[in-house]
Amino acid sequence: MKILVFSDSHGYTNNMVKVIKKNADADLIIHLGDFYRDALKVQDMFPNNRVELVPGNNDWTLEYPKERSIDIKGKTLFITHGHTYNVKNDYKRIINRGHDIKADAVFFGHTHKAEEIFSDGMLVLNPGSISVPSNGDNPSYSIVEIKDSKIISRVCYIK
Amino acid sequence: MNEFNEVEFFEVCNKFGVEPSIKEVTINYTTSDYFNQIKTAVATDRRGEVVFCVLRPNGKVIAITCEEYPKGVFRIPTGGIGHSEDIVEAALREAKEELGLDAVIKRFIGVLKIKFEYKNDSVMFYSYMFILKETGGRLLLDASDDEISEVREVNIEGLSEVLSTLKDLPGKWNDWGRFRYETTNAIFKFLTSNKVID
């Protein structure tokens, strides 16, 4: 199970499209918000791929829940944009939430800064921004693989 | 009387390639103050207004307040349309005068036909709603009017708060607030209708 995780594309889908084409074997694409319509565009362009999304703080939609759990291959992935957990300040709240619901991994964006840490065995992953990274960084995304009941992730930067 | 100009409305819809959207609403005013203001305005210098929602590149929209409003009350900006003025020109003129922004129209949303009632009297007013995208100018700094005292960029939660404030203002502002609730809510409904705007 190979998952591509994107966030904060902010209206620019070129980088996402390149990454998806390069990773044609991906089983799932997750977009963590801002702008949710970019995820819808990607879904239109790649109708055979499964795309899951959560809206961000700059998305005008009431249609999608702000956070959700996805169960895949016996693992629980908690996805949310991050603003409702104030992740620009610290990760305490989102980490606590992840542990509360017994998630195996929490994915969020919002900060435009990629990060990959572990908290008591739970993966805490921010893929950064695929279009408008914070100062000095390259655009980034994550590849997550669930294999032999392990979650393996890495942050990839686009040159 | 202030009759609705259907020919002109359909022309604007055609110009921007949108299906005509007309919504009707009646607002019962409880005091004569704002009712008389609107009635006088319609009789003299305006037949309606443009409601202009500036969608910024960051995805947020501009909400404004004025010095005389109760503290913390914001709304989507609007401006009057003169009796012989073009609707589209009015939208761009008002964005420049009020906000200081050069803009293009991204979307014509439609019209809100408002019937203001007070006791046995009534007056019709038309709010034409637009989504604008700024192309230049400096927010407020380049504005020629100084009516707006503060602007705020709001997201979906921010605009929800703006709406809940407008809905139930105390005292003499209540009538005005219900009017501004309707125009701001029409914009909110459009923005959350999942119609993609690039």
Side-chain angles (χ1 to χ4, degrees):
Chain A
M1 168 60 71
K2 183 175 179 180
I3 307 166
L4 297 175
V5 188
F6 299 108
S7 192
D8 296 276
S9 46
H10 285 268
Y12 305 98
T13 50
N14 286 358
N15 285 346
M16 277 199 292
V17 169
K18 274 185 210 162
V19 171
I20 294 164
K21 282 183 178 166
K22 199 173 137 192
N23 293 276
D25 57 336
D27 303 288
L28 170 64
I29 297 162
I30 295 177
H31 192 289
L32 298 168
D34 278 357
F35 299 150
Y36 85 105
R37 59 184 162 85
D38 299 338
L40 298 183
K41 262 189 208 168
V42 160
Q43 179 72 89
D44 279 349
M45 290 175 79
F46 301 94
N48 297 325
N49 283 63
R50 177 182 167 197
V51 177
E52 300 286 350
L53 68 94
V54 280
N57 58 310
N58 293 318
D59 283 325
W60 294 90
T61 178
L62 300 166
E63 198 175 312
Y64 302 91
K66 285 186 185 143
E67 58 184 50
R68 44 195 289 231
S69 294
I70 304 176
D71 291 318
I72 300 173
K73 295 235 166 197
K75 299 290 179 190
T76 300
L77 313 177
F78 178 68
I79 64 171
T80 190
H81 183 63
H83 61 297
T84 55
Y85 291 90
N86 217 351
V87 293
K88 282 188 180 173
N89 270 10
D90 58 57
Y91 296 166
K92 276 185 218 156
R93 283 161 286 260
I94 194 140
I95 286 174
N96 285 342
R97 174 74 172 142
H99 286 308
D100 283 350
I101 63 161
K102 298 187 168 44
D104 297 291
V106 294
F107 298 166
F108 60 95
H110 188 51
T111 64
H112 294 213
K113 190 124 190 105
E115 194 113 44
E116 188 184 26
I117 56 176
F118 284 87
S119 164
D120 292 333
M122 180 178 73
L123 169 64
V124 179
L125 177 73
N126 183 334
S129 169
I130 187 64
S131 305
V132 279
S134 59
N135 292 349
D137 289 350
N138 283 341
S140 59
Y141 64 100
S142 286
I143 296 177
V144 176
E145 289 190 79
I146 304 175
K147 211 170 165 182
D148 305 327
S149 45
K150 277 187 190 146
I151 303 178
I152 305 146
S153 67
R154 65 177 192 273
V155 173
C156 308
Y157 290 88
I158 294 173
K159 279 179 187 167
Chain B
M1 268 301 287
N2 197 21
E3 273 188 34
F4 183 65
N5 187 337
E6 272 197 5
V7 174
E8 176 195 40
F9 172 68
F10 287 120
E11 274 173 10
V12 179
C13 291
N14 274 340
K15 184 173 181 175
F16 295 103
V18 293
E19 289 292 313
S21 167
I22 301 175
K23 297 219 167 63
E24 294 178 8
V25 59
T26 300
I27 300 176
N28 288 293
Y29 271 179
T30 54
T31 64
S32 60
D33 295 5
Y34 288 113
F35 181 78
N36 287 335
Q37 263 183 34
I38 297 234
K39 212 177 161 189
T40 308
V42 168
T44 54
D45 67 343
R46 63 177 65 181
R47 59 193 175 112
E49 65 177 6
V50 285
V51 183
F52 48 104
C53 171
V54 180
L55 185 58
R56 311 211 85 187
N58 63 10
K60 294 186 171 76
V61 301
I62 292 175
I64 58 112
T65 189
C66 299
E67 203 66 61
E68 78 256 25
Y69 294 176
K71 203 167 182 278
V73 172
F74 283 75
R75 65 181 176 93
I76 294 293
T78 59
I81 309 170
H83 279 284
S84 56
E85 191 179 16
D86 181 86
I87 295 170
V88 176
E89 279 170 18
L92 299 177
R93 176 184 57 75
E94 287 289 348
K96 185 67 183 174
E97 287 177 7
E98 300 278 345
L99 295 175
L101 296 176
D102 303 309
V104 290
I105 288 161
K106 290 300 290 178
R107 179 82 181 215
F108 176 50
I109 299 175
V111 68
L112 203 57
K113 289 182 173 178
I114 304 174
K115 185 181 187 187
F116 289 103
E117 288 184 338
Y118 176 66
K119 293 189 173 167
N120 294 324
D121 205 355
S122 70
V123 61
M124 289 303 298
F125 194 74
Y126 310 105
S127 296
Y128 298 87
M129 297 168 293
F130 294 89
I131 301 287
L132 302 188
K133 184 184 168 193
E134 69 211 78
T135 54
R138 295 170 301 171
L139 191 56
L140 284 197
L141 290 173
D142 293 339
S144 53
D145 280 5
D146 62 354
E147 208 180 314
I148 294 171
S149 57
E150 193 188 330
V151 295
R152 191 174 277 182
E153 284 184 337
V154 293
N155 62 9
I156 191 167
E157 280 96 10
L159 198 55
S160 299
E161 279 170 34
V162 163
L163 280 171
S164 59
T165 312
L166 286 171
K167 205 172 185 176
D168 198 18
L169 285 176
K172 68 163 191 164
W173 287 95
N174 185 273
D175 281 349
W176 174 88
R178 285 184 293 122
F179 170 31
R180 285 309 166 208
Y181 173 84
E182 292 295 343
T183 50
T184 301
N185 192 38
I187 295 288
F188 183 84
K189 279 188 174 163
F190 176 79
L191 289 170
T192 54
S193 65
N194 294 325
K195 293 189 176 101
V196 174
I197 312 161
D198 279 318

